Amino acid sequence: MSRPFQKKNNNKQKQFNINFSNIQADLYSISKNLTIEDFQLKSGTLSGNFYLGGLFFDPEFEGFLDIKDLVVSLGNFLPNDLSTKNIKLIANDDSFKIENVLLTSGKAQVGFAASLSLDRWMLEELKVRLETLNKTLLPVDCKLPIMNLIANLNFNLEMAFSPDLLDLRGNVDVQDTILSLTLAGNDNDSEKESKKSNLEVVMDLIVNIAPKSKIFYPTQENPIIRGLVSASKPIHIVTDSSGFAISGDLNIKGGEILYLSRNFYLKEGRIDMNEVNGNFDPLITF
C-alpha cells in the first residue's frame, strides 16, 4: 500500500512542480514495448510516490519507488534468471540510492547496492557494489567478442562511473572454468572506438583461477589447443591513463595441440605474465 506522499519544504524558488502519487505499474506489460539486446524482463511491479520540481536548470527529486518480484533474463551472460523480492529506490534532492538488495540466480545469492548523483540534469557519478553472499557461487555463461566463458564466480566488486571515468576494483574467484578464446574481435574497429572515447578506464582486479580450469582455442567444439590450467598465484590486472599491467602465473597441467590431423600431448607448461603498457607478450614454457 502506498504511503501518503509528503515532499520536503525548502526556500528554493520553484519554477515547476510535478507530483506522481500512488504510482502503480506492471513492468512486464511495459517491457513488451521495449527491445533491449540480451535483456528480457519477465515479471515485476512498480509502486511509489515521486516529486520533481525546483528550478528548470537545477531540479530536485524526492520520493521513493518500490519494485517487487522482479525477474529478468540476461541471455548472453547468465544461464539462470536474475530475481529479487524487493528493490527500493529513494530520491532526495539530487541523489538516488538503492541499499541492501538481495539478488538470486539459481542457488547464488548476490548483494547489490547503488547510488547515483546528478549535476543538474546530467549524471555526476554512479556507484555500484556487488558481492556474492553466504559462500554461494554465481554461474555465468558469457559470450563475448573475443571469448566464451562458462564458470562459477565468487566476487566482491565496486564500480564508480562518471562521464569521463570508469573505475572498477575488487576480487574475483573463478571456479569450474571453461574458457574458449575465439579472438573474433576486429582490432581496427576497437582502435577507432577507443580513439573516439574520452572515457578513462581505471581497473584494479585480482583474479584467482581454481585448479582444473579448461581452456580451448579457438572453440570448445573444434579446438586446436586444449588444456587444463590453474593459477600458481593470482592474476593482478591494473589499468589507468598511463597504460596497463598484468602479472601472474598460469600452470598448464596437461592438454593437447591438434594440428594437421596429428595430436601433440602437453604434459605440463607454464605461462608467466609480467606485462606493462601495451606490450602483451607472456612467456610460455613447456
Side-chain angles (χ1 to χ4, degrees), residues 147-150 177-181 213-217:
M147 67 178 181
N148 295 335
L149 173 66
I150 299 174
T177 307
I178 299 176
L179 176 64
S180 300
L181 296 172
S213 296
K214 299 177 182 179
I215 186 169
F216 299 88
Y217 173 78

Side-chain angles (χ1 to χ4, degrees), residues 16 61 107 116 185 284:
F16 72 105
F61 306 83
K107 295 181 179 180
L116 182 147
I284 303 175

Side-chain angles (χ1 to χ4, degrees), residues 122-125 161-165 198-199:
M122 303 300 292
L123 171 68
E124 183 175 52
E125 186 177 48
F161 176 77
S162 64
D164 57 0
L165 176 67
N198 293 320
L199 183 70

Side-chain angles (χ1 to χ4, degrees), residues 38 74-79 138-151 153 178-182:
D38 299 324
L74 302 175
N76 269 348
F77 301 97
L78 301 179
L138 177 67
V140 297
D141 187 350
C142 300
K143 298 174 179 63
L144 303 173
I146 63 170
M147 67 178 181
N148 295 335
L149 173 66
I150 299 174
L153 305 183
I178 299 176
L179 176 64
S180 300
L181 296 172
T182 60

Side-chain angles (χ1 to χ4, degrees), residues 147-159:
M147 67 178 181
N148 295 335
L149 173 66
I150 299 174
N152 293 315
L153 305 183
N154 176 282
F155 52 82
N156 187 340
L157 298 171
E158 293 185 356
M159 183 193 77

Side-chain angles (χ1 to χ4, degrees), residues 173-200:
D173 295 333
V174 187
Q175 301 183 23
D176 307 313
T177 307
I178 299 176
L179 176 64
S180 300
L181 296 172
T182 60
L183 303 180
N186 188 313
D187 293 337
N188 293 329
D189 290 344
S190 299
E191 289 179 7
K192 290 177 183 178
E193 290 298 321
S194 63
K195 290 178 181 178
K196 291 179 183 178
S197 176
N198 293 320
L199 183 70
E200 179 182 357

Side-chain angles (χ1 to χ4, degrees), residues 100-247:
N100 302 324
V101 174
L102 176 63
L103 304 173
T104 59
S105 181
K107 295 181 179 180
Q109 298 179 357
V110 179
F112 168 75
S115 64
L116 182 147
S117 58
L118 297 177
D119 180 8
R120 299 181 180 182
W121 289 100
M122 303 300 292
L123 171 68
E124 183 175 52
E125 186 177 48
L126 169 66
K127 292 183 177 180
V128 176
R129 178 176 55 82
L130 288 166
E131 179 182 10
T132 47
L133 303 174
N134 300 321
K135 298 181 179 180
T136 60
L137 300 172
L138 177 67
V140 297
D141 187 350
C142 300
K143 298 174 179 63
L144 303 173
I146 63 170
M147 67 178 181
N148 295 335
L149 173 66
I150 299 174
N152 293 315
L153 305 183
N154 176 282
F155 52 82
N156 187 340
L157 298 171
E158 293 185 356
M159 183 193 77
F161 176 77
S162 64
D164 57 0
L165 176 67
L166 172 61
D167 190 314
L168 178 62
R169 301 173 186 271
N171 300 276
V172 181
D173 295 333
V174 187
Q175 301 183 23
D176 307 313
T177 307
I178 299 176
L179 176 64
S180 300
L181 296 172
T182 60
L183 303 180
N186 188 313
D187 293 337
N188 293 329
D189 290 344
S190 299
E191 289 179 7
K192 290 177 183 178
E193 290 298 321
S194 63
K195 290 178 181 178
K196 291 179 183 178
S197 176
N198 293 320
L199 183 70
E200 179 182 357
V201 178
V202 175
M203 186 182 302
D204 190 344
L205 284 179
I206 296 176
V207 181
N208 294 286
I209 300 178
K212 297 184 179 179
S213 296
K214 299 177 182 179
I215 186 169
F216 299 88
Y217 173 78
T219 67
Q220 182 180 357
E221 293 76 17
N222 298 292
I224 296 174
I225 301 173
R226 62 186 177 198
L228 297 176
V229 300
S230 63
S232 56
K233 65 180 181 181
I235 297 174
H236 191 191
I237 304 171
V238 178
T239 68
D240 58 26
S241 59
S242 62
F244 76 86
I246 302 177
S247 62

